[in-house]
Amino acid sequence: MSKYRKNLPQLQDGLFLTDSGLETTLIFQDGIELNHFASFELLKTENGRKRLLDYFREHAQTAVDAGVGFVLETPTWRSNADWGAKLGYTPQQLDALNRQSIDLMIEVRNEMETERSPMPISGNIGPLGDGYVAGKMTADDAERLHTPQVASFAKTEADLVSAFTMTTPDEAIGVTRAAVKANMPVVVSFTVETDGRLPNGQTLKDAIEAVDAATAGAPAYYMINCAHPTHFEQALEANEAWIRRVRGIRANASKRSHAELDEAADLDDGDPVELGRQYRDLRRAFSQFTVLGGCCGTDHRHVEQICFACSEVTGQQAAE
């Protein structure tokens, strides 16, 4: 039975951290070869499983030390029906691996969760196709293709599912519909280009409003990921209804565009301290941004700096 599925703690006002750029950390820092960024394949070996445990423990420890919450995101960004088939997995094998990813998160939670640091478990869902290119599928197609992974998570102790790096509202609508049918809370996270718009040219406002309109506002909240704060800060509109639906940020360390990142042979890990300050500024402008982590190029150093900078903001807000 899930622990938080009916009452997600991150919907309160407290700060929640999450992890950083798992795949870029494994590839560029650990020298691990990942087929198509498929970190879930590490679940198949004892050494791979240990590396994942160490990674999540290190990030969760930062939250525990700071007395804030932590959202445990499974390493399953590539284990949907589309990418699973490309990687040669059967539906049954994908189901087993998605379930194992939840078991991994349960192990971390049982070991590290405290009263001050609740740890909801999220089944991480990635995009169908390239996360940097706008997909052309319909919402119906997206629902059909995402349903198996959502169903796998729904049968476990997962508290929610989170769809990351969504490039179009149609795919986000499909994931949301699949989650609603499985009675799973769902989070939708869009990615944007350097102009603050989705890869298909839509604004964040239009995308969020489209998903809410098509699903009766079903997502628990929205996030932004896989873009640097300087890419999307100009797109955020204070006092607008749609921006109040955004609660989380998982930004890239690099200011490079998606095209530049796609072609890069090196890791641009940016400046962790600067990134922490940029998150602090976003938190000061938008106090509902309470779920904070990293994406491409970030590691535990960035999450530590984000925690340090944003904990100061939380303390100031409490004093006020």
Side-chain angles (χ1 to χ4, degrees):
M1 180 179 295
S2 63
K3 187 172 185 177
Y4 298 113
R5 193 177 296 184
K6 294 183 179 180
N7 186 23
L8 298 178
Q10 66 268 43
L11 293 179
Q12 306 303 315
D13 294 331
L15 184 65
F16 276 75
L17 298 178
T18 186
D19 66 295
S20 55
L22 171 60
E23 289 79 12
T24 52
T25 296
L26 294 172
I27 293 170
F28 291 100
Q29 295 190 14
D30 293 358
I32 297 174
E33 292 187 12
L34 296 180
N35 296 322
H36 297 296
F37 278 70
S39 55
F40 75 90
E41 292 194 300
L42 296 185
L43 292 165
K44 299 189 299 181
T45 68
E46 189 59 35
N47 286 340
R49 194 173 180 280
K50 181 180 182 302
R51 178 62 189 106
L52 290 171
L53 282 170
D54 289 344
Y55 168 87
F56 286 104
R57 283 169 176 152
E58 184 173 38
H59 286 78
Q61 189 64 55
T62 297
V64 171
D65 291 344
V68 301
F70 189 80
V71 180
L72 286 159
E73 290 283 353
T74 57
T76 51
W77 187 68
R78 281 296 198 224
S79 59
N80 57 45
D82 178 45
W83 281 102
K86 293 175 182 175
L87 289 159
Y89 290 90
T90 66
Q92 293 75 20
Q93 289 171 326
L94 285 176
D95 175 67
L97 286 164
N98 280 314
R99 288 168 177 259
Q100 288 173 32
S101 74
I102 299 298
D103 292 339
L104 190 84
M105 298 297 98
I106 291 171
E107 184 172 342
V108 176
R109 180 163 72 184
N110 288 344
E111 176 185 333
M112 305 194 69
E113 185 178 47
T114 69
E115 185 175 347
R116 295 178 63 202
S117 298
M119 297 186 181
I121 294 172
S122 170
N124 190 295
I125 295 172
L128 305 166
D130 194 322
Y132 290 166
V133 178
K136 296 181 180 180
M137 76 198 69
T138 66
D140 288 344
D141 286 340
E143 179 183 348
R144 175 177 55 81
L145 288 167
H146 281 298
T147 288
Q149 189 177 26
V150 172
S152 292
F153 291 136
K155 298 170 188 174
T156 70
E157 292 185 39
D159 299 300
L160 70 153
V161 295
S162 299
F164 280 93
T165 329
M166 294 290 103
T167 60
T168 69
D170 283 336
E171 183 168 8
I173 290 167
V175 176
T176 301
R177 289 175 177 169
V180 169
K181 288 182 178 179
N183 294 314
M184 287 292 287
V186 59
V187 170
V188 170
S189 184
F190 287 110
T191 187
V192 297
E193 300 294 336
T194 56
D195 61 359
R197 291 175 176 264
L198 273 64
N200 72 346
Q202 283 185 282
T203 65
L204 274 169
K205 175 182 178 180
D206 287 346
I208 289 172
E209 289 180 344
V211 176
D212 272 349
T215 65
Y221 56 90
Y222 292 86
M223 296 181 66
I224 303 167
N225 81 291
C226 206
H228 192 269
T230 57
H231 297 168
F232 58 80
E233 59 188 358
Q234 76 277 12
L236 306 179
E237 302 174 16
N239 302 319
E240 292 267 341
W242 72 271
I243 194 63
R244 292 194 290 274
R245 296 282 283 133
V246 180
R247 295 186 67 90
I249 303 291
R250 292 191 65 164
N252 287 347
S254 174
K255 297 177 183 178
R256 294 173 179 172
S257 68
H258 286 157
E260 291 170 328
L261 287 173
D262 218 14
E263 297 174 358
D266 64 322
L267 177 68
D268 181 359
D269 59 1
D271 183 338
V273 174
E274 180 185 50
L275 189 65
R277 291 171 180 163
Q278 289 166 328
Y279 271 67
R280 177 197 61 197
D281 293 343
L282 287 170
R283 280 270 290 149
R284 285 175 174 167
F286 304 97
S287 60
Q288 78 274 17
F289 289 1
T290 56
V291 181
L292 307 176
C295 203
C296 296
T298 61
D299 55 41
H300 72 280
R301 296 171 302 150
H302 300 78
V303 172
E304 286 176 344
Q305 290 300 321
I306 290 166
C307 180
F308 174 75
C310 292
S311 294
E312 287 184 339
V313 176
T314 301
Q316 291 169 1
Q317 290 171 339
E320 293 170 359

